[in-house]
Amino acid sequence: MLPVQPIGCNSLNMSLWVIQRDLLLAMRRRADVLTTLFFFIIVVSLFPLGVGPEINMLRTMAPGVVWVAALLASMLSLGRMFSSDYLDGTLEQMLLSPQSLSMLVLGKALAHWLVTGVPLVLMSPVLGLQYDLSTEALLVLTASLLLGTPVLSLIGAIGAALTLGLRGGGVLVSLLVLPLYIPVLIFGAGAVEASAAGLGAGAHLSLLGAFLLVSLVLAPWAAAVSLRISME
Amino acid sequence: MLPVQPIGCNSLNMSLWVIQRDLLLAMRRRADVLTTLFFFIIVVSLFPLGVGPEINMLRTMAPGVVWVAALLASMLSLGRMFSSDYLDGTLEQMLLSPQSLSMLVLGKALAHWLVTGVPLVLMSPVLGLQYDLSTEALLVLTASLLLGTPVLSLIGAIGAALTLGLRGGGVLVSLLVLPLYIPVLIFGAGAVEASAAGLGAGAHLSLLGAFLLVSLVLAPWAAAVSLRISME
Amino acid sequence: MSILQGSDLECVRGDRRLFKDINFSLEAGELIQVHGPNGSGKTSLLRMLCGLAIPAHGKICWHGTDIRSLKGDYYGAITYLGHLSGVKDDLTAIENLRISSALAGVEIDAKKAHDALQHMGLGGRELLPVKVLSQGQRRRVALARLLVCRTVLWILDEPLAALDSAAVKLVQNLLEQHLVQGGMVVMTTHQEIDIAAGATHRLQLA
Amino acid sequence: MSILQGSDLECVRGDRRLFKDINFSLEAGELIQVHGPNGSGKTSLLRMLCGLAIPAHGKICWHGTDIRSLKGDYYGAITYLGHLSGVKDDLTAIENLRISSALAGVEIDAKKAHDALQHMGLGGRELLPVKVLSQGQRRRVALARLLVCRTVLWILDEPLAALDSAAVKLVQNLLEQHLVQGGMVVMTTHQEIDIAAGATHRLQLA
Amino acid sequence: MIWASWSDFFSMGGYGFYVWGSYLVAFACIAGEIALVFNRKRTLLKHLSLIHESTKEEKRNETTS
Amino acid sequence: MAINWFNYSSPASFYFLAGKMIPPFTIAATILFAVGLYIGFFVAPTDFQQGEAYRIIFIHVPAAWMSMFLYVMMAIWAGIGLAFNTRLSSMMATAIAPTGAMFTFLALWTGALWGKPMWGAWWVWDARLTSELILLFLYIGFMSLQAAIDDPRRADKAGAVIALVGVVNIPIIYFSVKWWNTLHQGASVSITQSPKMATTMLTGMLIMSIACWMYAIAVILMRTRTIILERERHTAWVGELQGATK
Ligand code: HEM
Ligand SMILES: Nc1ncnc2c1ncn2[C@@H]1O[C@H](COP(=O)(O)OP(=O)(O)OP(=O)(O)O)[C@@H](O)[C@H]1O
Ligand SMILES: Nc1ncnc2c1ncn2[C@@H]1O[C@H](COP(=O)(O)OP(=O)(O)OP(=O)(O)O)[C@@H](O)[C@H]1O
Ligand SMILES: [Mg+2]
Ligand SMILES: [Mg+2]
């Protein structure tokens, strides 16, 4: 008889495999990583074109604009998280994997963050400079993005899982996910404004940290449930 | 012998068939039309959240924000223009159609505009009200969107055709297309600002009209060339 | 001079030469069956015949003229069915058929589409969106185009994939009828199929 | 009590009842071949067996326990291959195989993946991205999973589609070997295939 | 000579950071680009020589067998 | 000796021709850079308005010019490749893009470093600055598109379409100063007017520009050679080349 239980594989291991695979796919198309980043840069640069060059106004707008752009960039690439796996049948295979689906989903969300979130965080100080932000505001902006972008990927995973296989999913997902992103946006942009107003960004940042912890625990599970629902 | 030449069909007819089909598909998933619209609404409404509620600043920002949101909404739905036809082999059949490919592409771009652009144009006065724009500014905003959004769809068709079948196409297309959208953005938002400053929006609007004419003539052709390249 | 003629065709994909020196000619009422193992270049050859791919060497002539200079005139004379069916998941079978034939240059009404689908054994399923149909049923929707099109040359890439034996029989009849009327067919298949009417050539790749 | 047992199964899709009162049981070393015309519900039945769809009525038991309460334990014992191959266009054949088997719970090294692909007749193509491979070659990449997995129950939906005769032979041998080792197979196919080893049951739908 | 001393030269009338920042980055970019081009060529040649070796080997095998 | 130009449009012969052309251009670039920098730093007098900061001009303006010239060259070569299906010109276009992007980046970088002391801000949203930024995006779009496509022939053609469509940006950059009233300096060198700046400054700037040209040509030729080898690696002549170097 063949062994029934698979060997040499546990849930954590599985997440690592998934992360590794998604990063591999991203590297195969290195353009992917760059394009999310450039989307971010371009959106941030579009606003002054539409709004006009007055520097005082731009400085006030800056945190909001950078955060909205990060949110859009992260959201735009949600489509990729599951849909290609769905179309070619890999997702079916994942559902049939003997390991916990939540861990797989966690792996995919982390990979998504590594590919889309991290480059944004690294780029944000430069963009902040374009809007003439002070050094301290730049630091707070970067910190808030560092805490906030993983939350975006994790929450996004739920939306991506729910809209799987629906036509127009790309836009539907934004409809589902944006309302959930809003608290992150408010506290993220708020942190920078608070620090600019001399109030200290500590409270805002610790709230963002709390969001991160909660979504690390709950989002993979919710996304796994959604996946099972979508695939039924 | 069977007749070699097809009958009862010319190029114009063909565009109409394509438009009709794409509208039918959109209706089959009515959510699509609504979601682009809601995306637009949500993005416009996000800004006050990120930036803060000061009304004077919001009024100055308004044209820029509405235009950037329209541009993103239109761009986001570009992916749908060809990719589903590509994946299921319909596009291959279109390339083998005895009629001119440019006309087919024109049909698809117009259908895209009807589904994504027109709802935005209709919605924009309401959103403008949220930002406390004057009646005249609202009119100019709507007119500029009416002239500008078809240009977005037409230019977008080129980008969509070029990135067909490439992984990460969704974000790559924005990289290609956004720089080309920028003149439309500048003159579109500029029209509203000019009229608010009492300078009259005529010059800006006629430039937008010129963009529309040029892109009506050139874009379908360039997109058809790109399609043939992508499908080779 | 034959109606369709390929001379000295060579196909290169990536750094691999799939075939070279392929010659064939096709007259009215004839069928060419392209044989060869997986990956031998059958699909590549068929795409060349449609003008969707360009041969590395050699040329393909239709009534003596290179197909690359004919463009629309040639496209009006062929019907291609590839591995992908070209049916839209969200549309119903009837809508799919009407639209795909309109794109191919033949406008048909709902009645005619309905009859064609009925003939393909899809009676009662015409109004379902194609995405709920089974694999074989989707393939039948794509094949229904052959019933309504009026082209002379059919280029079929594995038309029998996913079909049950009743449907195979149906396609067989369809081909025979087309050949009797003076049509031409180039096709590939891994299953055995025997066509009674017309001359059947065999083209072996690799 | 058999190892896999389906009792009184009924399938409803939309407003159509595809089948009802389907019963079967499977022992070690046995094969069930599901027959039926297009759209008779073969794929639907197989998806039920995997737990991807839920029967309208009846239940499926694995070693006497309902598969819906087993979850991961059951998934570790089956390998499912559907109409879609589950191979990623952008990855190479080797990467695809390694990753898909890691997901199924078996980690293999590049050497082993290479050997399996070689055995499936993909020698020399292991390092190409799958999207440039031919239809049959992609299917072979998917089938290579059967060589490296160590599950007892294989659920195969038309494994022979798009394969040439050499590959059909290969799959046939694979199945025979699996049965001899005490494995079990549930499969559908429109092509004829004869398996020498083990008991072969036939399940006719519609 | 328009500079009184070397330190004068390096301070650039107080604008040293901006001027030298520009030129250093400019030459770093140029050097980096050249390095990238050479590197690309080197890896390619290495790759090519591998192919070359293996085809030679194949030929040798053919002649011996 | 008559040169057969047609012959040189084949990648194989161009490979050898380019090999001969690279050393002279490299030498010229080195000498001109040395002379240009000498004039810029030791001959040109201090600007009475901007002090020493103006010396950035000797790298800023050549970089800004090159960024635009190279884009036009790239579009032209790509267009020729698309229209006449000449492989070599497409390869040239592909080879030009990274160098063009680098010069665009340099124009932005040096401009920003110049802007801080002059305007008090690293960046302002002025028409010329913005359109230069868009130019960078166009270069990056071109390169990402080509990188995303595996088949080189398809990559060439797709890149050509986007390069040609993007050319509309060039006049916008060039005339932006005229069309919008902006912070940035207008053109001070033009053919119709006599130059407004000190002759030594002008000479320095022109020499640096020519040096950049020479450098760009040399590095683009080098890159083209590599691309030729990459694309033609299965041909007999590359095999022979390999045998010869072994
Ligand atoms: C990031 C900021 C900047 C960018 C992107 C930029 C871009 C450009 C471009 C594209 C050109 C060439 C245009 C032409 O030839 O007509 C140019 C030329 C020039 N720039 Fe800038 N620039 C920037 C900042 C500055 C600053 C701060 C100054 C000085 C205060 C400056 C002074 C000049 C001068 C003098 C020219 C030469 C104009 C001529 O003679 O044609 N630039 N710049
Ligand atoms: N870039 C590439 N590099 C190497 N080989 C390639 C490349 N692109 C395609 N090929 C090979 O070209 C062949 C394409 O074959 P094609 O799809 O025409 O086969 P087919 O005869 O239709 O096979 P099937 O019966 O499986 O459908 C495959 O063998 C594939 O491996
Ligand atoms: N919503 C629905 N309404 C009506 N009928 C439906 C609906 N969804 C599915 N069906 C029918 O259910 C059947 C699904 O069959 P299934 O895919 O299981 O067939 P199959 O036996 O695998 O066929 P094939 O041999 O073609 O693969 C089809 O006949 C389809 O028409
Ligand atoms: Mg094939
Ligand atoms: Mg089925």
Side-chain angles (χ1 to χ4, degrees):
Chain A
M1 269 292 285
L2 300 166
V4 176
Q5 273 298 321
I7 50 171
C9 232
N10 58 36
S11 285
L12 193 69
N13 228 324
M14 194 72 76
S15 303
L16 292 181
W17 262 103
V18 171
I19 295 182
Q20 189 183 330
R21 185 192 77 127
D22 282 16
L23 291 184
L24 187 67
L25 275 168
M27 280 305 118
R28 203 48 44 89
R29 292 256 173 238
R30 221 157 306 154
D32 256 24
V33 187
L34 289 178
T35 41
T36 315
L37 182 59
F38 280 107
F39 174 81
F40 177 62
I41 299 175
I42 291 180
V43 172
V44 173
S45 318
L46 277 183
F47 274 93
L49 296 179
V51 170
E54 204 204 319
I55 197 71
N56 268 329
M57 196 167 92
L58 288 180
R59 202 179 299 126
T60 339
M61 282 175 61
V65 169
V66 172
W67 257 97
V68 170
L71 200 147
L72 292 177
S74 167
M75 199 189 67
L76 263 182
S77 46
L78 282 182
R80 266 178 298 160
M81 207 191 283
F82 298 116
S83 77
S84 77
D85 284 345
Y86 171 69
L87 287 179
D88 63 16
T90 316
L91 202 58
E92 240 166 29
Q93 301 292 348
M94 287 191 178
L95 291 189
L96 294 181
S97 159
Q99 251 65 40
S100 130
L101 186 58
S102 311
M103 289 305 280
L104 290 184
V105 172
L106 182 62
K108 287 195 82 73
L110 287 183
H112 180 262
W113 179 65
L114 288 175
V115 173
T116 62
V118 172
L120 303 195
V121 176
L122 296 179
M123 198 63 200
S124 54
V126 180
L127 294 177
L129 269 185
Q130 285 196 327
Y131 281 78
D132 203 29
L133 289 184
S134 70
T135 322
E136 204 205 317
L138 284 181
L139 268 180
V140 176
L141 180 65
T142 316
S144 70
L145 282 170
L146 189 62
L147 285 171
T149 43
V151 183
L152 300 184
S153 295
L154 284 163
I155 297 181
I158 307 176
L162 279 175
T163 54
L164 206 61
L166 305 182
R167 224 181 76 89
V171 193
L172 187 57
V173 76
S174 47
L175 195 58
L176 290 177
V177 148
L178 274 181
L180 299 174
Y181 278 2
I182 285 177
V184 185
L185 167 69
I186 290 180
F187 290 102
V192 189
E193 277 155 21
S195 101
L199 298 174
H204 286 89
L205 289 182
S206 32
L207 252 169
L208 281 180
F211 286 162
L212 178 54
L213 286 182
V214 172
S215 54
L216 258 180
V217 176
L218 293 184
W221 173 80
V225 172
S226 321
L227 270 187
R228 291 222 184 267
I229 294 172
S230 295
M231 293 295 290
E232 203 154 75
Chain B
M1 265 298 282
L2 301 164
V4 175
Q5 273 297 322
I7 51 171
C9 233
N10 58 36
S11 285
L12 193 68
N13 228 326
M14 194 72 78
S15 303
L16 292 181
W17 262 104
V18 171
I19 295 181
Q20 189 184 330
R21 186 191 78 126
D22 282 15
L23 291 184
L24 190 66
L25 276 169
M27 282 303 120
R28 208 42 54 87
R29 290 249 172 242
R30 222 154 305 153
D32 257 24
V33 187
L34 290 178
T35 40
T36 316
L37 186 58
F38 279 112
F39 174 82
F40 177 62
I41 297 175
I42 290 181
V43 172
V44 174
S45 320
L46 275 183
F47 271 92
L49 293 179
V51 169
E54 205 202 321
I55 195 69
N56 265 330
M57 198 167 92
L58 287 182
R59 200 179 300 126
T60 339
M61 281 173 60
V65 170
V66 172
W67 255 99
V68 170
L71 200 146
L72 292 176
S74 164
M75 194 191 70
L76 266 181
S77 46
L78 281 182
R80 267 178 297 158
M81 206 190 282
F82 299 115
S83 78
S84 76
D85 285 346
Y86 171 70
L87 287 179
D88 63 17
T90 318
L91 202 58
E92 240 168 28
Q93 300 292 349
M94 288 192 178
L95 291 190
L96 294 181
S97 160
Q99 252 66 39
S100 130
L101 186 59
S102 309
M103 289 305 279
L104 290 183
V105 172
L106 182 61
K108 286 197 81 73
L110 288 182
H112 179 262
W113 179 65
L114 288 175
V115 173
T116 63
V118 171
L120 304 194
V121 175
L122 297 179
M123 197 64 201
S124 55
V126 180
L127 292 176
L129 273 183
Q130 285 193 337
Y131 281 76
D132 199 31
L133 289 184
S134 70
T135 323
E136 203 205 317
L138 284 182
L139 266 180
V140 175
L141 179 66
T142 315
S144 71
L145 281 170
L146 189 64
L147 284 171
T149 44
V151 183
L152 300 183
S153 296
L154 284 163
I155 296 181
I158 305 176
L162 281 176
T163 54
L164 207 60
L166 303 182
R167 222 182 77 89
V171 193
L172 187 57
V173 76
S174 48
L175 186 57
L176 294 179
V177 149
L178 276 180
L180 302 175
Y181 277 2
I182 285 175
V184 184
L185 168 68
I186 290 180
F187 289 102
V192 189
E193 278 155 21
S195 100
L199 297 174
H204 286 90
L205 290 182
S206 34
L207 250 170
L208 281 180
F211 285 162
L212 178 55
L213 286 183
V214 171
S215 54
L216 259 180
V217 175
L218 292 185
W221 174 80
V225 172
S226 315
L227 272 185
R228 290 219 184 268
I229 293 170
S230 291
M231 295 293 292
E232 203 159 79
Chain C
M1 191 189 62
S2 341
I3 301 184
L4 181 74
Q5 184 148 31
S7 37
D8 259 358
L9 293 176
E10 175 178 337
C11 173
V12 177
R13 298 286 302 272
D15 46 9
R16 201 178 292 270
R17 180 160 64 206
L18 294 181
F19 53 77
K20 64 177 231 175
D21 298 334
I22 293 288
N23 291 287
F24 62 87
S25 65
L26 195 60
E27 297 294 344
E30 289 185 349
L31 175 145
I32 294 183
Q33 202 165 344
V34 185
H35 283 268
N38 289 142
S40 55
K42 301 182 293 300
T43 301
S44 311
L45 178 64
L46 262 50
R47 286 176 58 88
M48 276 177 195
L49 286 184
C50 299
L52 287 172
I54 297 161
H57 185 80
K59 70 177 179 176
I60 299 162
C61 295
W62 177 249
H63 288 291
T65 326
D66 193 329
I67 58 165
R68 292 180 61 188
S69 51
L70 281 172
K71 291 244 169 86
D73 292 342
Y74 178 57
Y75 296 154
I78 65 172
T79 296
Y80 171 64
L81 216 86
H83 282 301
L84 295 170
S85 307
V87 293
K88 284 234 111 31
D89 273 1
D90 285 313
L91 297 181
T92 65
I94 286 205
E95 287 162 349
N96 262 303
L97 182 56
R98 289 191 63 195
I99 287 165
S100 65
S101 45
L103 284 180
V106 188
E107 293 185 27
I108 58 173
D109 55 15
K111 176 80 185 64
K112 200 157 170 211
H114 183 275
D115 292 347
L117 291 170
Q118 189 90 37
H119 187 243
M120 288 310 295
L122 290 169
R125 258 104 175 179
E126 304 94 338
L127 296 178
L128 289 176
V130 166
K131 70 167 164 240
V132 306
L133 297 186
S134 81
Q135 196 75 2
Q137 289 170 335
R138 292 151 156 272
R139 196 70 188 162
R140 288 176 189 220
V141 175
L143 285 166
R145 274 181 56 207
L146 295 179
L147 282 170
V148 295
C149 71
R150 309 196 211 134
T151 51
V152 262
L153 175 59
W154 292 356
I155 300 178
L156 312 176
D157 203 354
E158 302 224 27
L160 307 183
L163 295 185
D164 61 13
S165 50
V168 169
K169 193 97 213 124
L170 228 101
V171 172
Q172 209 164 315
N173 288 339
L174 207 63
L175 293 181
E176 279 173 7
Q177 208 173 326
H178 182 63
L179 293 176
V180 166
Q181 289 182 314
M184 290 171 283
V185 179
V186 181
M187 68 182 285
T188 70
T189 167
H190 291 298
Q191 275 163 274
E192 278 315 311
I193 180 171
D194 40 36
I195 305 287
T200 308
H201 302 285
R202 191 186 160 92
L203 190 66
Q204 182 74 38
L205 295 182
Chain D
M1 193 187 61
S2 340
I3 301 183
L4 182 74
Q5 184 149 31
S7 37
D8 259 358
L9 294 176
E10 175 177 336
C11 174
V12 177
R13 298 286 301 271
D15 48 6
R16 201 178 291 268
R17 181 161 64 207
L18 293 182
F19 53 76
K20 64 177 230 175
D21 298 335
I22 292 289
N23 291 286
F24 62 87
S25 65
L26 196 61
E27 298 294 344
E30 289 185 349
L31 175 145
I32 294 183
Q33 203 165 344
V34 185
H35 282 268
N38 289 142
S40 55
K42 302 183 292 300
T43 300
S44 310
L45 178 64
L46 262 49
R47 285 176 59 89
M48 278 177 195
L49 286 184
C50 298
L52 288 171
I54 295 160
H57 185 81
K59 70 176 180 174
I60 300 162
C61 294
W62 176 248
H63 287 292
T65 326
D66 193 330
I67 57 165
R68 293 179 59 190
S69 52
L70 279 172
K71 293 244 168 87
D73 292 343
Y74 178 58
Y75 297 153
I78 64 171
T79 297
Y80 171 64
L81 218 85
H83 281 301
L84 296 170
S85 306
V87 292
K88 283 237 116 21
D89 273 2
D90 284 313
L91 297 182
T92 65
I94 285 204
E95 287 161 350
N96 262 303
L97 183 56
R98 291 191 63 195
I99 286 164
S100 65
S101 45
L103 285 179
V106 187
E107 293 184 29
I108 58 173
D109 56 13
K111 174 81 184 61
K112 199 157 170 212
H114 182 276
D115 291 347
L117 291 169
Q118 189 90 34
H119 186 246
M120 289 309 294
L122 291 169
R125 257 104 175 180
E126 304 94 338
L127 295 179
L128 290 176
V130 166
K131 70 167 164 238
V132 306
L133 297 187
S134 81
Q135 195 76 1
Q137 287 170 334
R138 291 153 154 270
R139 196 71 189 162
R140 288 174 188 223
V141 174
L143 285 167
R145 272 182 58 207
L146 297 179
L147 282 170
V148 295
C149 70
R150 309 193 211 135
T151 51
V152 264
L153 174 57
W154 292 356
I155 300 179
L156 311 177
D157 203 356
E158 302 224 28
L160 307 183
L163 295 185
D164 61 14
S165 50
V168 169
K169 192 98 211 117
L170 229 103
V171 172
Q172 209 165 314
N173 289 337
L174 209 62
L175 292 181
E176 280 173 6
Q177 210 173 324
H178 182 62
L179 292 176
V180 166
Q181 289 183 315
M184 288 171 285
V185 179
V186 180
M187 67 181 286
T188 70
T189 167
H190 292 297
Q191 275 163 276
E192 279 314 311
I193 178 172
D194 39 38
I195 306 287
T200 308
H201 304 284
R202 193 184 158 93
L203 189 68
Q204 182 74 36
L205 296 182
Chain E
M1 190 66 187
I2 57 174
W3 304 102
S5 69
W6 280 111
S7 68
D8 224 17
F9 177 66
F10 285 117
S11 81
M12 276 285 153
Y15 295 118
F17 172 73
Y18 304 104
V19 176
W20 298 122
S22 301
Y23 282 91
L24 280 184
V25 169
F27 284 97
C29 281
I30 289 177
E33 193 188 12
I34 294 175
L36 280 180
V37 171
F38 273 104
N39 191 37
R40 183 168 170 185
K41 180 146 182 177
R42 218 190 41 237
T43 42
L44 175 71
L45 286 181
K46 216 184 283 167
H47 189 77
L48 282 184
S49 68
L50 276 182
I51 296 178
H52 189 69
E53 292 289 289
S54 64
T55 49
K56 253 200 325 216
E57 212 132 273
E58 263 168 35
K59 279 199 191 116
R60 204 176 306 133
N61 291 346
E62 271 166 29
T63 46
T64 50
S65 62
Chain F
M1 188 187 74
I3 300 175
N4 183 353
W5 287 111
F6 186 72
N7 192 20
Y8 282 119
S9 70
S10 97
S13 24
F14 183 81
Y15 180 84
F16 296 105
L17 178 68
K20 290 201 200 88
M21 280 155 66
I22 290 170
F25 281 110
T26 315
I27 294 167
T30 319
I31 294 174
L32 287 171
F33 269 130
V35 174
L37 287 175
Y38 180 79
I39 295 179
F41 282 106
F42 296 103
V43 180
T46 308
D47 189 86
F48 67 95
Q49 263 183 341
Q50 307 193 2
E52 307 296 352
Y54 91 93
R55 291 188 198 275
I56 295 176
I57 203 173
F58 298 111
I59 188 75
H60 173 71
V61 176
W65 282 345
M66 291 306 293
S67 68
M68 295 188 291
F69 283 137
L70 285 178
Y71 191 89
V72 175
M73 291 310 295
M74 179 180 91
I76 291 176
W77 282 123
I80 292 176
L82 181 64
F84 304 108
N85 207 7
T86 43
R87 281 173 305 156
L88 183 59
S89 38
S90 301
M91 292 184 209
M92 290 285 279
T94 309
I96 290 175
T99 306
M102 189 211 59
F103 277 115
T104 316
F105 169 75
L106 276 185
L108 286 167
W109 177 266
T110 54
L113 279 175
W114 198 354
K116 187 68 182 170
M118 290 303 113
W119 304 332
W122 298 104
W123 182 262
V124 291
W125 290 96
D126 144 297
R128 170 162 287 179
L129 272 57
T130 307
S131 45
E132 183 77 4
L133 186 63
I134 296 169
L135 184 64
L136 182 65
F137 294 152
L138 285 173
Y139 273 119
I140 289 167
F142 178 87
M143 289 191 289
S144 322
L145 181 63
Q146 291 210 322
I149 302 177
D150 295 320
D151 174 24
R153 278 203 325 194
R154 182 183 156 192
D156 283 345
K157 292 181 186 169
V161 172
I162 204 68
L164 288 173
V165 176
V167 169
V168 290
N169 193 43
I170 299 297
I172 295 183
I173 302 181
Y174 193 79
F175 294 112
S176 56
V177 187
K178 268 195 203 137
W179 290 346
W180 291 280
N181 194 9
T182 62
L183 265 176
H184 194 280
Q185 212 122 344
S188 45
V189 183
S190 76
I191 307 164
T192 48
Q193 287 169 337
S194 59
K196 301 179 215 135
M197 37 173 140
T199 18
T200 40
M201 275 189 213
L202 192 63
T203 354
M205 215 170 79
L206 289 180
I207 290 180
M208 284 296 282
S209 301
I210 300 172
C212 284
W213 260 116
M214 297 297 127
Y215 162 74
I217 293 174
V219 80
I220 288 167
L221 286 178
M222 278 196 267
R223 197 177 286 116
T224 314
R225 265 165 65 98
T226 315
I227 292 174
I228 291 176
L229 279 190
E230 276 170 6
R231 300 247 183 121
E232 309 255 302
R233 60 170 175 261
H234 304 294
T235 56
W237 73 269
V238 175
E240 277 164 28
L241 195 73
Q242 206 52 38
T245 53
K246 271 284 134 170

